[in-house]
Amino acid sequence: MLLSIAMIYVLGLTLSTVFKKLNLPGLIGYLLAGILLGPYGFKLLDPNILQISSDLRKIALIIILLKAGLSLNLDDLKKVGRPAFLLSFLPASFEILAYSLIAPYILHISTLDALILGSVLSAVSPAVVVPKMVQLIESGHGKDKQIPQMILAGSSLDDVFVIVLFSTFTSMAISGTFNAIDLVHIPLEIILGITFGIVTGLAFTKFFNNTKLDTTTKVILLLAISFALSELEQLLKQTIPFSSLLAIMTMGMTLRAKQANTQPLSQAFSKLWIGAQVLLFVLVGAAVDINYTLQAGWNAVLMIFIALAIRSIGVFLALLHTNLNTKERLFTIIAYLPKATVQAAIGGVPLAMGLPCGQIVLSLAVVAILITAPLGALGMDLTYQTFLSHSKS
């Protein structure tokens, strides 16, 4: 297994560097490395590492959510509360609706399979969006109207909203029946997730204030509690449903609000994310049957672009009655295009569950990453200086 990990990092980082030199997202290099190393490529990876890949992907998702929470300022969120709230669910809802209505005709799948597919593909990518928004916050672009903060908050909550829907739809697919109580669980999971996060964040704040701990120890403790929250969600799923991912991000936000200086923690998680994302995307690439993906063909590409267009309508509607000008609204639409992290984390879950739609969900997840990650990343890089006002303060 150690040799497999070495190959993952060496080849992944090498190909990532090549793509970055081409001004493309490095995560494309990670995916390509996984495809080459995996069982559908040159079969160089130890099967044992593939068996635990879902756990490794969850760890990576936890790290980026902690990073996102520690980067969010509650005072800024209050100023962009309504549009950020609408951005957290409206674009994703439009995209899921697009898949549920159109995918059965283009991809020849059932409506429930289309809903599962939509819930996987509708999440915006923290891996692409979070680092860029943090960079814009630090550089002062869009600062006057808190645009990066709005996008950061909305996109982070968007991921949790989508993951909760994904859990609901996959449960329906496994049971074979529709249960209205599953839909009632969605707001309950969100509310209880926020509650768990606030309580845990306040407990950590008090503990950190009363003890002298170095940054490394704090990071280890935060990760340990985050892992425990993830497992607690599974244990309490039938009695007290809550979103552990939302709890983890809210915990980070609470720490940011209550602690005087969380910058060292945020920087530490940024460094952890560098290593975690390599594992995440390489292992996703390794799970892809490239032959099946190619068979999806142009229908898959067409479906992805139709869904993106309908998603953009949701972004536009979320920004109505705001003080954003046309360029700033267009930048927000571009920022909501990239897919990567959530698709990598949950794209292979339906296949692991043995659902009939598993292979097509994973294949479209990879196609969506390859199309939208560079599209969104390049779009933001090329437009932020001209579309967003710059404040040096």
Side-chain angles (χ1 to χ4, degrees):
M1 188 183 291
L2 292 178
L3 179 59
S4 294
I5 293 174
M7 288 190 292
I8 285 172
Y9 277 102
V10 171
L11 185 59
L13 291 171
T14 300
L15 292 178
S16 173
T17 302
V18 172
F19 278 92
K20 285 178 180 177
K21 287 185 180 296
L22 298 173
N23 292 322
L24 293 170
L27 60 88
I28 297 177
Y30 301 146
L31 285 171
L32 180 58
I35 292 171
L36 293 174
L37 293 172
Y40 302 103
F42 293 104
K43 303 178 182 179
L44 298 175
L45 293 181
D46 187 331
N48 291 325
I49 199 168
L50 297 175
Q51 291 176 3
I52 62 170
S53 65
S54 61
D55 292 324
L56 295 174
R57 293 198 300 267
K58 182 173 283 189
I59 290 171
L61 191 59
I62 286 171
I63 289 171
I64 194 61
L65 286 173
L66 278 170
K67 164 65 178 170
L70 290 166
S71 300
L72 286 170
N73 189 322
L74 288 177
D75 291 333
D76 290 335
L77 287 181
K78 292 175 183 177
K79 300 175 184 177
V80 292
R82 186 186 64 84
F85 172 72
L86 292 176
L87 285 170
S88 71
F89 71 92
L90 205 55
S93 297
F94 269 69
E95 189 165 2
I96 292 172
L97 182 63
Y99 277 102
S100 67
L101 295 177
I102 302 172
Y105 299 99
I106 293 180
L107 302 176
H108 309 294
I109 58 178
S110 70
T111 300
L112 181 55
D113 288 347
L115 286 169
I116 294 173
L117 177 63
S119 64
V120 170
L121 296 187
S122 62
V124 70
S125 170
V128 179
V129 174
V130 170
K132 191 63 188 178
M133 292 307 111
V134 172
Q135 176 192 334
L136 295 181
I137 290 171
E138 292 170 351
S139 67
H141 286 88
K143 176 181 173 62
D144 294 338
K145 297 179 183 178
Q146 284 80 41
I147 294 172
Q149 290 89 336
M150 176 188 70
I151 295 172
L152 186 60
S155 62
S156 299
L157 293 173
D158 162 281
D159 295 336
V160 177
F161 171 74
V162 166
I163 290 170
V164 172
L165 283 178
F166 171 76
S167 300
T168 301
F169 295 145
T170 51
S171 297
M172 289 165 57
I174 292 171
S175 65
T177 59
F178 172 76
N179 191 346
I181 197 67
D182 291 332
L183 297 179
V184 176
H185 282 176
I186 295 173
L188 186 60
E189 286 189 36
I190 292 173
I191 293 169
L192 290 179
I194 292 173
T195 303
F196 271 73
I198 292 173
V199 171
T200 311
L202 290 174
F204 263 119
T205 299
K206 186 174 182 180
F207 178 65
F208 288 164
N209 287 337
N210 293 332
T211 56
K212 291 186 177 181
L213 299 174
D214 56 69
T215 300
T216 302
T217 304
K218 290 180 180 179
V219 167
I220 293 172
L221 288 173
L222 285 172
L223 283 174
I225 293 300
S226 297
F227 298 157
L229 284 171
S230 180
E231 288 300 308
L232 187 63
E233 178 185 8
Q234 299 304 316
L235 291 173
L236 301 179
K237 183 179 291 186
Q238 302 302 324
T239 53
I240 308 176
F242 78 99
S243 169
S244 61
L245 296 178
L246 183 54
I248 290 164
M249 191 183 71
T250 306
M251 179 174 66
M253 292 172 61
T254 305
L255 272 172
R256 166 72 186 256
K258 297 297 181 179
Q259 284 249 290
N261 182 23
T262 54
Q263 188 65 22
L265 277 174
S266 181
Q267 291 173 348
F269 279 105
S270 294
K271 293 175 182 177
L272 276 177
W273 172 240
I274 294 172
Q277 68 176 336
V278 180
L279 274 177
L280 173 63
F281 290 106
V282 172
L283 290 174
V284 167
V288 174
D289 184 341
I290 192 65
N291 292 323
Y292 188 92
T293 302
L294 292 174
Q295 288 175 13
W298 292 108
N299 283 351
V301 176
L302 175 63
M303 184 66 244
I304 288 168
F305 275 106
I306 290 173
L308 286 177
I310 295 175
R311 175 188 185 84
S312 298
I313 296 172
V315 177
F316 177 79
L317 292 176
L319 298 177
L320 289 177
H321 307 298
T322 64
N323 62 348
L324 273 62
N325 59 40
T326 302
K327 289 184 178 180
E328 290 164 342
R329 295 181 190 210
L330 184 57
F331 178 83
T332 306
I333 290 173
I334 294 170
Y336 259 69
L337 293 179
K339 321 285 185 183
T341 321
V342 175
Q343 289 71 29
I346 66 176
V349 173
L351 183 62
M353 288 179 169
L355 296 179
C357 63
Q359 191 63 256
I360 194 168
V361 169
L362 178 58
S363 296
L364 259 76
V366 172
V367 173
I369 293 171
L370 293 175
I371 291 173
T372 64
L375 187 66
L378 286 173
M380 286 187 285
D381 284 338
L382 293 173
T383 59
Y384 79 91
Q385 291 184 331
T386 53
F387 283 13
L388 301 180
S389 62
H390 181 232
S391 174
K392 294 182 179 180
S393 60

